[in-house]
Amino acid sequence: MARCSSLMILLLLLMMLLFLLLIINIAAALGNADSITKKKTSHANKEDTEDENDEMQLEEILKRNHVTSESEEVGESATTQQGRPSPSEKENKDNDKKLQETNNGSKQILPDQQETVKSRQAQEMEELYKNGTKILKRSRDKNLRKDRGYKLLVKAADIGSTKAMERIAFALLFGDQLPQNVTAAKDLFEALAENGSHKAQTALGFMHATGIGVGFNQPKALVYYTFAALGGNFVAHMILGYRYLNGVNLPQNCEAALVHYRTAAKYVADNVALSGEILTEKVRLTERAENLSSNGEVMDLDLYQYYQFIAEKGDLQSQVGLGQLHLTGGKGIEQDYEKAFYYLSKAAYGGSTNALGFLGKMYSEGNEIVHQNNETALMYFKMAAERGSPIGLTGLGLAYLYGKGVSVDYEEALKYFKKAADKGWVDAQFQLGVMHYAGLGVKRDYKMAVKYFHHASQAGHALALYNLAQMYGSGTGVVRSCLTAAELYKNVCERGQWTERFLSAYFAYKANYIDSAFLQYLFLAEQGYEMAQSNAAYILEYGYSYARIKLGDYYYYGYGTNVDYETAAIHYRLAAEQQHSAQAMFNLAYMYEHGLGAEQDLHLAKDSYDLAAETSTDAYIPVFLALCKLGVINLIHSVQNANLSEVWKQASLDRLLWLHWDLFLIMILTLLLAVLMAYRHG
């Protein structure tokens, strides 16, 4: 009997001890679960990390411009912000000492020598910047862009290149081959803007207009855009033109829009006339998601390698296609004159008339691989024209129109252009419009000019669009229409070099760097690109709940903006309701539980936790732990708000632990059974 009594006492003590340990373990597990599920984890294996020397150089650039990196970073993807430790006091003293020694040494240098040193330094900066941007523009190879392109820019910025600093600041903002750090980007942009950088002013306008990294402030955004446009930034002109045209935070004013668009369009047209149009594909994500064909399809590397293989086997069509792609930089393939010349030469020797025409074009314009040579160009154009190639016919027309290798002869030029235009060649149609507009070889006829410009513009010819815009803007040959002219100028502006960001955004999207892709599409959307607006909306509303959750995280943690729990809750709620995201449901439940952004409501918290578990099996364990925690909280509240006698009278396992009381009971009974078995064997 005594043994039985002692056994009962022992069992009671064990039960109390086990229950206490269970509560402690649940609390500890909940603490870990909260930190794991509420704080986003960074990817452990980053493909885009820089080596130690480049990080030191980049940090030095930021430090020189009074830019501080923070340990609180933007997100959880491969573009997570990377905070940099601030330099120690000893390092600052060493740097000050070195700077003083340098200044003292420079006083002993003669003025002429100083000018020579400055000139060499400026030349070195320009060379580094030029080579770095060339790689970034022409290559879609991520490793090459990171290991060569941005390293050259970092070196250029390290010796004082403002243009390189601007590129680096944008890379930090968008997470383009550099770790995304919105705060550091903002600080660097502000330092550059104080020194008059119109690109930095445009970037700050974008950040204030969208609330990225700063408080949402449209008036401040307009101030930055206006100063940037006055400083000669054509992207800022596009943004203001779009806002005036559509009345976005500004009174709708077509004439004001026309002025802004015309300024940017002239810059684009001048560059097209000098170096030719570089094609940049724009992929609509909705079409991509639904496997629909798109005119702006980017060629996959596997397909490109297949064309390379059959081109080497002698396929003329593939040789001409690859040569043309590398000549113009189409379908996401980098512009490479050496490869263009290689493939076109193979195709020409194989008998391709179009290849002959393109080779003539290369010699006529000249580039870093093929030096300009009118005689060689004429030879290729004539061979191509004799075989009926519209490229060769247009080339001969241009030679006679501008006297390149032959005497100027408008009648001959007109004859060749008409033959090429009859074959549907767009450049020839445009040139016929120019000749009728200016009265070269024919009587001046604005109606015929409009006709030819219109035909060429339907195929997307940038200069034809520009000339039509000029005519509608001035009422030359047509009834003046501000709206038509503004829309045409807008179309021309959207073919500028800044369009290259579409490719960068698309490649980021394909690599699943959604935050980087979203911000880049958002920047393009601010410029008025309808496709970018569509893509940003697709990512935000339809494509990925991730983007909504990420926006919620920005406001919850105060990444680049003030902590705003109400706004965070709105984004989590939208992700939960529209995309049925279990993560968003869990986050929302957490906020209900703690009264963040909404009134504390444990019942709503429980409902949201349950919904998260029903939506995703992966959420079951975190939800179970969270519900256990809520059960304990509910018990504590009950004890605090009522006397013990009432609690024991009204308490039930269902009310204390809700639907999970059976799990607790099973665990306790299992442990008791194990203790009894051990006691018996003992």
Side-chain angles (χ1 to χ4, degrees):
M1 193 70 180
R3 180 175 177 177
C4 183
S5 299
S6 63
L7 177 61
M8 292 297 293
I9 293 171
L10 179 61
L11 286 175
L12 286 173
L13 289 173
L14 284 171
M15 287 177 66
M16 293 176 65
L17 180 60
L18 289 170
F19 187 73
L20 182 61
L21 289 173
L22 183 62
I23 294 297
I24 293 171
N25 288 334
I26 289 172
L30 285 171
N32 291 334
D34 287 340
S35 64
I36 291 171
T37 56
K38 194 63 194 162
K39 289 187 178 179
K40 310 299 183 188
T41 58
S42 300
H43 287 296
N45 297 322
K46 289 188 180 179
E47 296 179 0
D48 298 329
T49 56
E50 299 179 325
D51 59 33
E52 186 177 354
N53 291 334
D54 291 324
E55 287 185 356
M56 291 175 64
Q57 278 186 305
L58 181 56
E59 178 63 25
E60 192 67 27
I61 294 165
L62 299 179
K63 184 173 64 180
R64 265 207 314 271
N65 288 277
H66 308 291
V67 177
T68 57
S69 300
E70 299 179 0
S71 58
E72 294 182 348
E73 307 306 342
V74 168
E76 67 194 80
S77 68
T79 53
T80 305
Q81 295 179 22
Q82 295 296 309
R84 302 285 190 264
S86 59
S88 65
E89 186 177 352
K90 182 178 181 300
E91 289 174 337
N92 286 333
K93 289 181 178 179
D94 290 343
N95 290 335
D96 291 341
K97 184 178 179 181
K98 289 179 182 178
L99 182 61
Q100 187 175 359
E101 290 175 355
T102 302
N103 291 336
N104 291 336
S106 64
K107 292 178 182 178
Q108 299 174 4
I109 301 176
L110 296 175
D112 291 343
Q113 292 176 325
Q114 288 181 348
E115 288 299 321
T116 303
V117 170
K118 288 181 181 179
S119 177
R120 287 177 180 174
Q121 190 178 50
Q123 186 177 357
E124 183 183 0
M125 283 192 301
E126 186 62 28
E127 193 69 22
L128 288 168
Y129 176 78
K130 181 180 177 181
N131 291 335
T133 52
K134 185 185 294 185
I135 292 172
L136 296 179
K137 286 182 179 180
R138 293 187 178 181
S139 177
R140 57 188 285 189
D141 186 323
K142 184 172 63 177
N143 292 328
L144 180 62
R145 288 168 62 87
K146 179 185 70 173
D147 295 338
R148 291 288 306 282
Y150 275 108
K151 281 187 177 180
L152 292 173
L153 289 184
V154 168
K155 289 179 180 177
D158 192 45
I159 57 177
S161 171
T162 299
K163 293 188 291 186
M165 290 182 197
E166 291 168 343
R167 291 294 294 249
I168 289 171
F170 276 106
L172 289 169
L173 175 62
F174 297 127
D176 181 18
Q177 306 302 325
L178 291 178
Q180 190 179 45
N181 190 328
V182 176
T183 302
K186 175 182 74 72
D187 292 343
L188 188 51
F189 279 134
E190 287 177 346
L192 290 166
E194 288 179 3
N195 293 324
S197 168
H198 55 74
K199 288 185 179 179
Q201 291 166 343
T202 302
L204 289 170
F206 163 69
M207 296 176 78
H208 282 285
T210 56
I212 300 296
V214 293
F216 182 81
N217 191 326
Q218 286 292 343
K220 202 166 186 178
L222 288 172
V223 170
Y224 275 119
Y225 286 147
T226 301
F227 275 104
L230 290 172
N233 188 269
F234 300 110
V235 170
H237 277 295
M238 282 183 66
I239 293 171
L240 290 173
Y242 178 76
R243 290 186 171 225
Y244 275 117
L245 188 62
N246 296 279
V248 180
N249 298 114
L250 284 170
Q252 194 169 20
N253 188 331
C254 182
E255 295 297 335
L258 188 66
V259 171
H260 286 292
Y261 274 132
R262 181 167 55 211
T263 303
K266 184 179 185 305
Y267 169 79
V268 175
D270 289 343
N271 277 274
V272 169
L274 288 172
S275 57
E277 185 174 5
I278 297 178
L279 303 176
T280 300
E281 272 61 35
K282 308 179 188 71
V283 180
R284 192 179 295 275
L285 298 183
T286 52
E287 294 177 351
R288 189 77 173 183
E290 298 170 8
N291 294 319
L292 299 176
S293 61
S294 172
N295 292 331
E297 193 65 41
V298 175
M299 183 181 290
D300 291 329
L301 286 177
D302 290 340
L303 183 59
Y304 172 75
Q305 289 170 355
Y306 167 74
Y307 283 132
Q308 275 188 317
F309 174 76
I310 61 175
E312 293 297 333
K313 294 292 183 181
D315 184 80
L316 287 180
Q317 188 174 357
S318 298
Q319 291 169 350
V320 176
L322 289 175
Q324 186 179 2
L325 286 176
H326 282 297
L327 182 62
T328 60
K331 293 191 177 297
I333 303 300
E334 63 266 25
Q335 189 179 39
D336 189 322
Y337 294 120
E338 185 175 1
K339 290 181 179 178
F341 185 75
Y342 170 75
Y343 285 116
L344 291 174
S345 296
K346 287 179 72 73
Y349 284 119
S352 170
T353 56
N354 284 337
L356 290 169
F358 282 123
L359 284 173
K361 180 179 172 66
M362 291 188 73
Y363 277 103
S364 177
E365 295 173 353
N367 53 64
E368 60 213 40
I369 301 300
V370 176
H371 297 296
Q372 201 279 334
N373 189 312
N374 288 330
E375 292 183 1
T376 307
L378 279 173
M379 178 189 71
Y380 279 115
F381 283 145
K382 286 178 180 178
M383 287 192 293
E386 287 170 359
R387 301 174 190 181
S389 168
I391 307 171
L393 291 167
T394 303
L396 285 178
L398 287 169
Y400 281 107
L401 180 62
Y402 296 107
K404 300 179 71 173
V406 293
S407 300
V408 173
D409 190 329
Y410 295 139
E411 291 184 2
E412 282 293 300
L414 191 67
K415 179 183 71 175
Y416 285 118
F417 287 144
K418 282 184 176 179
K419 288 182 179 180
D422 290 340
K423 294 178 179 288
W425 195 246
V426 177
D427 283 338
Q429 293 170 344
F430 167 71
Q431 296 299 340
L432 285 174
V434 171
M435 295 189 76
H436 282 89
Y437 181 88
L440 303 175
V442 292
K443 184 179 179 181
R444 177 172 292 180
D445 190 334
Y446 292 133
K447 289 185 178 180
M448 288 295 292
V450 169
K451 172 188 171 182
Y452 283 117
F453 287 149
H454 181 70
H455 283 314
S457 68
Q458 287 182 321
H461 196 283
L463 293 179
L465 287 165
Y466 179 76
N467 285 6
L468 271 180
Q470 293 278 73
M471 297 181 79
Y472 275 102
S474 61
T476 304
V478 292
V479 177
R480 187 182 187 275
S481 171
C482 176
L483 183 60
T484 302
E487 290 288 354
L488 288 168
Y489 280 132
K490 178 177 183 290
N491 205 322
V492 176
C493 292
E494 292 179 353
R495 297 165 188 276
Q497 61 191 34
W498 39 82
T499 313
E500 294 168 355
R501 191 160 295 283
F502 265 101
L503 277 181
S504 176
Y506 177 66
F507 291 142
Y509 174 82
K510 279 194 68 178
N512 206 33
Y513 298 151
I514 306 303
D515 49 350
S516 175
F518 175 71
L519 282 183
Q520 292 185 78
Y521 281 131
L522 195 62
F523 186 48
L524 291 164
E526 183 76 359
Q527 298 168 41
Y529 288 96
E530 183 275 330
M531 189 175 289
Q533 294 165 353
S534 171
N535 289 348
Y538 173 78
I539 292 175
L540 194 60
E541 300 293 346
Y542 305 105
Y544 284 87
S545 58
Y546 173 91
R548 273 289 183 201
I549 295 172
K550 194 162 192 63
L551 283 175
D553 289 344
Y554 287 160
Y555 287 102
Y556 184 91
Y557 293 112
Y559 288 154
T561 185
N562 296 326
V563 172
D564 188 340
Y565 292 129
E566 291 184 5
T567 305
I570 290 171
H571 287 296
Y572 291 146
R573 189 177 297 110
L574 288 172
E577 294 174 356
Q578 295 178 358
Q579 283 89 41
H580 308 291
S581 166
Q583 179 67 64
M585 295 170 188
F586 188 94
N587 292 356
L588 199 58
Y590 182 91
M591 298 185 77
Y592 281 132
E593 179 185 343
H594 296 278
L596 302 174
E599 187 177 349
Q600 187 178 33
D601 192 325
L602 298 183
H603 293 290
L604 274 178
K606 178 186 178 299
D607 291 341
S608 295
Y609 280 133
D610 287 336
L611 194 58
E614 292 173 8
T615 304
S616 172
T617 55
D618 293 337
Y620 181 78
I621 293 177
V623 166
F624 169 71
L625 296 174
L627 288 175
C628 291
K629 177 184 174 184
L630 278 180
V632 174
I633 292 172
N634 192 37
L635 174 61
I636 294 171
H637 285 177
S638 298
V639 172
Q640 289 175 342
N641 297 329
N643 59 54
L644 288 176
S645 60
E646 289 296 322
V647 170
W648 283 110
K649 286 179 182 178
Q650 300 180 9
S652 67
L653 290 177
D654 281 335
R655 294 187 62 186
L656 289 177
L657 304 176
W658 292 326
L659 300 178
H660 299 283
W661 65 269
D662 52 342
L663 297 175
F664 281 97
L665 184 58
I666 290 170
M667 292 172 64
I668 292 171
L669 291 175
T670 302
L671 290 169
L672 286 174
L673 182 60
V675 170
L676 286 172
M677 292 293 290
Y679 184 81
R680 286 186 61 186
H681 287 296

